[in-house]
């Protein structure tokens, strides 16, 4: 049977819309879920998605992507690439899978809500493909780490981690619960498709893909390339919505949603990508610094996209630019210092040569973060290992759930707000501003410190905290990725002096 | 007397930390409670110097002999510590 050309039927099919007769439009698309702010069903017919594809084309392309990724994996499975890779890279994988894999399934649910509650037929069409994309991303990112579980139990966090109260998991979960799972579909599309996917996923999926290839992990590199090509397509769901909202006088709401999500994405990726790029990867495998990637993908591309569409830079742009020299260095020192609490073994990445690289990329690093590392390294070189893990918890930000960090001697401070008789601490003025937008949304989520103070962690010590966070059950408490081999360079310097 | 959690950071620290104390404890006792979590862990010791305490954003040095209740610190308030 001859098929019609796509152009002959596509616009009719993608514009198919409901004409409710048994229920009202508001009952069919409850505002709480649809979030369209008075824009009618008819007006949503003008939604024009920039990327058009048919189901037949989609399936064909996706089959090829899966074939490519799984073929590379199958071809390399019997090689010893993983065993021969640097522990810094191996643990970049564990960090990635534990934080990302199950979230992809949640993203499938987000797209499914778009399919049901999106008023624009074009949006529902794109979101159908987006939903299938995210299911694929969940499956492939659970299947790939599965082969490594027999080599290292920490890979089990890919499937189980998101169910724990690990503090690193709570950072990711609180962000995605806020931006992806608990808002109306228009707000969610702005926060996730526009702010998160058009900007930040490039960092993890393009930046890390290049690093993976340098580490000769072609299996991972090919897999995340295939994911990013999906992200680049369904990320475009947000842009036509944004244009409509601005046209209909809802720029303030759009700007606020993007400002919230952009900042929270930054805090998440400073940990997820920043530490891997600037500390975990061996020097000879680094494609560039985290700051350089941020400047290319976020400062240049995303900022331009914002301005082109008629939005403004987030009000905190200067703070954000300053934070590029700051946040991920502090989070790395923090995660490394409290390393038993992690599901991956962190690489320190502060040998003499690596410190030279850090000083070159981040002038002044040795006189700020380097000073704290000096104390840690001195204790390690002298065998005082008990001095290298603090006997208390870091204070956590009530919005982002990450430790409150800053540049030593320069930017460290805790912002705060007293709300309903309780003091809430924040990692920045931006985190505080986000909390103030909807205090009840954030006040009800306990940080690890809140759990400790509420008596949820028993016994109230490191042992109890580790158990509460899933350590000792899913995997043993973590330790230095290189088992402190790098410290020998400093021990030799000590002996020589 | 009652237990009170406070937030502190030493000059030169990169992270704010939690310390558990008591409203009847003096500021000097608070320093002794917080010190093992930072000094010689993330900031170097400075033998021969005293550790002073201020509220964050305040220039007033807290009296080392005053109790936490007397100076009016509230739960999860942040104090700065520094050598002088």
């Amino acid at each position: 049977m001859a098929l019609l050309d796509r152009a002959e039927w596509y616009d009719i099919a993608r514009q198919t819309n409901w004409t409710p007769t048994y229920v009202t439009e508001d009952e069919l698309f409850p505002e709480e879920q649809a979030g369209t702010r008075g824009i009618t069903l008819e007006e949503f017919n003008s939604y024009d998605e920039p990327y058009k594809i048919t189901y037949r084309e989609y399936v064909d392309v996706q089959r090829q992507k899966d074939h490519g990724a799984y073929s590379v994996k199958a071809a390399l499975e019997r090689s010893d690439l993983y065993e021969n890779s640097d522990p810094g890279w191996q643990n970049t994988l564990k960090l990635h899978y534990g934080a990302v894999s199950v979230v992809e399934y949640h993203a499938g649910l987000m797209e499914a809500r778009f399919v049901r509650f999106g008023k624009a037929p074009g949006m529902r069409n794109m979101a159908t493909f987006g939903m299938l994309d995210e299911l694929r991303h969940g499956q492939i990112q659970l299947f790939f780490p599965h082969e490594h579980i027999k080599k290292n139990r920490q890979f089990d966090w890919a499937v189980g981690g998101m169910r724990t109260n690990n503090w690193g998991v709570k950072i990711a979960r609180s962000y995605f619960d806020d931006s992806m799972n608990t808002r109306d579909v228009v707000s969610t599309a702005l926060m996730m498709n526009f702010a998160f996917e058009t900007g930040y996923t490039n960092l993890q999926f393009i930046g890390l893909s290049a690093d993976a290839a340098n580490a000769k992990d072609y299996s991972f590199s090919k897999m995340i390339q295939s994911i990013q090509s999906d992200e680049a397509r369904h990320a475009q769901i947000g842009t036509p919505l944004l244009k409509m909202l601005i046209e209909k006088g809802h720029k303030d709401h759009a700007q606020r949603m993007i400002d919230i999500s952009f900042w929270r994405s930054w805090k998440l990726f400073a940990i997820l990508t920043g530490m891997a790029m600037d500390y975990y990867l061996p020097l000879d495998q680094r494609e560039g610094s985290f700051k350089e990637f941020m400047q290319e993908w976020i400062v240049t591309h995303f900022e331009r996209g914002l301005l082109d569409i008629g939005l403004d830079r987030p009000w905190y742009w200067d703070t954000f630019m300053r934070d590029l020299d700051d946040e991920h260095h502090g989070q790395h020192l923090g995660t490394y210092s409290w390393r038993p609490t992690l599901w991956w073994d962190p690489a320190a990445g502060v040998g003499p040569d690596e410190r030279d690289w850090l000083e070159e990329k981040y002038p002044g690093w040795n006189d700020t973060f380097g000073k704290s590392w000096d104390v840690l390294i001195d204790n390690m070189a002298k065998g005082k290992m008990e001095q290298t893990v603090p006997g208390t918890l870091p204070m956590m930000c009530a919005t982002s759930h990450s430790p409150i960090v800053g540049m030593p001697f320069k930017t460290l401070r805790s912002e705060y707000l007293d709300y309903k008789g309780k003091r809430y601490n924040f990692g920045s003025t931006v985190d505080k501003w986000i909390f103030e937008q909807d205090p009840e949304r954030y006040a009800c989520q306990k940080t690890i410190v809140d759990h400790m103070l509420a008596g949820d962690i028993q016994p109230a010590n490191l042992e109890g905290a580790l158990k509460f966070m899933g350590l000792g059950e899913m995997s043993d408490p973590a330790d230095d990725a290189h088992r402190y081999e790098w410290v020998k360079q400093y021990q030799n310097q000590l002996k020589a002096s | 007397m009652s237990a009170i959690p406070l937030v502190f950071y030493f000059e030169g620290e990169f992270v704010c930390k939690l310390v558990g104390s008591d409203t009847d404890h003096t500021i000097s006792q608070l320093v002794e409670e917080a010190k093992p979590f930072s000094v010689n862990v993330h900031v170097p010791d400075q033998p021969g110097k005293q550790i002073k305490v201020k509220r964050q954003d305040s220039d007033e040095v807290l009296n080392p002999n005053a109790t936490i209740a007397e100076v009016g610190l509230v739960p999860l308030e942040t104090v700065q510590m520094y050598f002088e």
Side-chain angles (χ1 to χ4, degrees):
Chain A
M1 188 175 75
L3 292 172
L4 289 172
D5 287 340
R6 182 174 75 168
E8 294 179 73
W9 60 268
Y10 188 81
D11 280 342
I12 299 171
R14 64 172 277 279
Q15 287 295 345
T16 300
N17 210 351
W18 303 103
T19 307
T21 54
Y22 296 105
V23 293
T24 65
E25 186 179 323
D26 287 343
E27 286 172 318
L28 183 58
F29 294 103
E31 180 63 16
E32 187 182 24
Q33 284 284 0
T36 48
R37 288 162 178 76
I39 305 174
T40 65
L41 206 50
E42 192 178 339
E43 288 171 318
F44 265 105
N45 282 333
S46 66
Y47 176 103
D48 189 19
E49 68 277 24
Y51 195 103
K52 296 180 174 60
I53 190 168
T54 67
Y55 184 68
R56 174 183 287 268
E57 291 163 346
Y58 175 82
V59 171
D60 186 47
V61 170
Q62 297 305 95
R63 190 195 63 77
Q64 290 175 39
K65 286 182 194 173
D66 261 3
H67 180 71
Y70 284 93
S71 297
V72 171
K73 180 179 186 298
L76 297 177
E77 215 157 46
R78 290 193 183 83
S79 70
D80 293 328
L81 279 178
Y82 174 82
E83 286 78 1
N84 292 329
S85 63
D86 186 273
W89 175 250
Q90 293 171 358
N91 285 286
T92 297
L93 294 178
K94 294 174 197 167
L95 168 57
H96 171 91
Y97 286 126
V100 171
S101 303
V102 169
V103 169
E104 300 274 18
Y105 268 119
H106 296 170
L109 295 174
M110 171 193 77
E111 298 280 351
R113 286 197 298 123
F114 295 173
V115 174
R116 169 60 184 85
F117 294 106
K119 274 190 176 177
M123 177 184 180
R124 294 198 297 268
N125 192 44
M126 280 196 85
T128 303
F129 299 129
M131 178 177 63
L132 296 172
D133 289 341
E134 301 294 8
L135 290 175
R136 185 176 87 88
H137 301 172
Q139 289 168 347
I140 199 168
Q141 288 179 101
L142 289 176
F143 184 72
F144 274 51
H146 187 260
E147 71 162 302
H148 298 315
I149 290 176
K150 57 182 180 286
K151 301 166 193 164
N152 193 304
R153 273 294 301 279
Q154 289 170 320
F155 279 101
D156 216 7
W157 283 72
V159 68
M162 213 38 77
R163 299 187 191 99
T164 72
N165 277 314
N166 186 275
W167 70 270
V169 165
K170 285 171 83 70
I171 296 170
R173 198 165 58 207
S174 80
Y175 167 64
F176 289 110
D177 278 352
D178 184 11
S179 300
M180 190 167 81
N181 299 331
T182 58
R183 294 183 189 261
D184 63 73
V185 300
V186 169
S187 301
T188 305
L190 301 182
M191 296 179 98
M192 293 304 299
N193 297 130
F194 190 80
F196 179 79
E197 287 175 342
T198 59
Y200 282 94
T201 57
N202 284 316
L203 281 177
Q204 185 72 356
F205 290 92
I206 292 182
L208 212 54
S209 174
D211 289 331
N214 291 341
K216 297 187 170 51
D217 191 341
Y218 303 114
S219 180
F220 185 81
S221 178
K222 185 80 178 170
M223 185 265 290
I224 58 175
Q225 273 176 26
S226 90
I227 289 175
Q228 183 55 24
S229 63
D230 291 351
E231 300 284 346
R233 170 172 32 73
H234 67 239
Q236 296 175 39
I237 286 174
T239 310
L241 282 178
L242 200 44
K243 288 176 183 167
M244 292 184 77
L245 283 179
I246 293 171
E247 280 171 18
K248 301 291 180 186
H250 300 297
K251 178 182 169 182
D252 287 351
H253 176 71
Q255 184 81 50
R256 189 165 67 252
M257 292 300 103
I258 286 165
D259 288 359
I260 292 171
S261 186
F262 182 86
W263 182 259
R264 299 209 62 187
S265 300
W266 156 240
K267 297 290 289 271
L268 177 64
F269 279 89
I271 293 177
L272 186 61
T273 319
M275 300 191 313
M277 282 186 175
D278 282 355
Y279 291 94
Y280 291 8
L281 290 168
L283 273 183
D284 61 354
Q285 293 171 14
R286 291 180 193 173
E287 189 75 8
S289 74
F290 178 57
K291 183 179 178 181
E292 288 164 349
F293 269 95
M294 284 297 296
Q295 284 174 326
E296 179 179 353
W297 289 101
I298 304 296
V299 179
T300 305
H301 295 311
F302 187 73
E303 182 195 21
R304 190 188 305 147
L306 271 181
L307 300 178
D308 285 351
I309 211 162
L311 288 174
D312 303 318
R313 289 182 191 90
W315 62 268
Y316 48 75
W317 196 252
D318 292 344
T319 305
F320 166 67
M321 295 298 286
R322 190 195 71 200
D323 238 26
L324 296 179
D325 286 315
D326 206 332
E327 177 74 15
H328 69 296
H329 297 302
Q331 295 299 351
H332 175 57
L333 246 170
T335 47
Y336 188 84
S337 294
W338 279 275
R339 55 198 173 282
T341 66
L342 307 178
W343 70 81
W344 70 96
D345 293 331
V350 288
D353 292 344
E354 292 156 317
R355 290 181 68 142
D356 288 345
W357 183 89
L358 285 161
E359 184 64 33
E360 180 197 328
K361 298 293 184 184
Y362 301 91
W365 185 93
N366 274 315
D367 287 332
T368 53
F369 294 103
K371 294 288 185 193
S372 287
W373 278 107
D374 287 341
V375 181
L376 260 174
I377 290 167
D378 191 55
N379 283 327
M380 289 177 177
K382 291 174 179 168
K384 299 178 185 173
M385 296 307 287
E386 73 285 355
Q387 287 280 98
T388 67
V389 179
T392 188
L393 291 175
M395 191 58 203
M396 298 293 186
C397 171
T399 299
S400 71
H401 289 242
S402 53
I404 297 173
V405 298
M407 189 180 283
F409 307 104
K410 295 188 175 176
T411 63
L412 179 63
R413 58 175 280 109
S414 177
E415 300 295 332
Y416 66 91
L417 176 74
D418 292 326
Y419 178 72
K420 290 189 175 177
K422 182 183 170 187
R423 175 151 299 195
Y424 293 87
N425 284 273
F426 304 97
S428 68
T429 52
V430 189
D431 289 290
K432 181 183 172 186
W433 171 80
I434 291 171
F435 187 97
E436 288 171 325
Q437 301 308 299
D438 189 355
E440 288 300 309
R441 168 177 284 269
Y442 301 102
C444 66
Q445 297 206 15
K446 286 183 184 174
T447 66
I448 283 293
V449 168
D450 293 329
H451 282 297
M452 179 65 88
L453 298 179
D456 300 338
I457 297 174
Q458 295 295 337
N461 54 24
L462 179 64
E463 183 195 350
L466 291 175
K467 189 178 173 197
F468 184 79
M469 289 190 261
L471 278 309
E473 293 180 354
M474 285 183 51
S475 62
D476 291 333
D479 206 348
D480 180 275
H482 296 91
R483 298 300 183 257
Y484 307 102
E485 275 295 310
W486 59 277
V487 179
K488 287 179 180 168
Q489 298 169 84
Y490 292 103
Q491 286 172 327
N492 291 338
Q493 286 178 6
L494 207 60
K495 283 177 194 163
S497 64
Chain B
M1 80 184 232
S2 61
I4 181 169
L6 293 166
V7 181
F8 77 99
Y9 58 92
F10 267 82
E11 186 179 33
E13 261 285 16
F14 70 95
V15 62
C16 294
K17 291 172 180 164
L18 184 71
V19 58
S21 189
D22 192 287
T23 51
D24 279 354
H25 288 189
T26 63
I27 297 301
S28 289
Q29 285 175 299
L30 174 64
V31 167
E32 292 308 311
E33 286 157 347
K35 191 177 165 185
F37 300 145
S38 275
V39 177
N40 282 335
V41 177
H42 288 138
V43 297
D45 197 4
Q46 297 186 34
K49 290 190 177 178
Q50 286 188 325
I51 295 173
K52 302 282 180 72
V53 184
K54 291 179 183 174
R55 280 189 159 91
Q56 183 177 257
D57 298 331
S58 168
D59 292 330
E60 184 187 338
V61 179
L62 298 180
N63 178 353
N65 298 317
T67 65
I68 288 173
E70 285 166 350
V71 299
L73 294 176
V74 301
L76 296 178
E77 184 167 353
T78 303
V79 293
Q80 292 172 273
M81 298 184 183
Y82 61 100
F83 288 98
E84 191 173 83

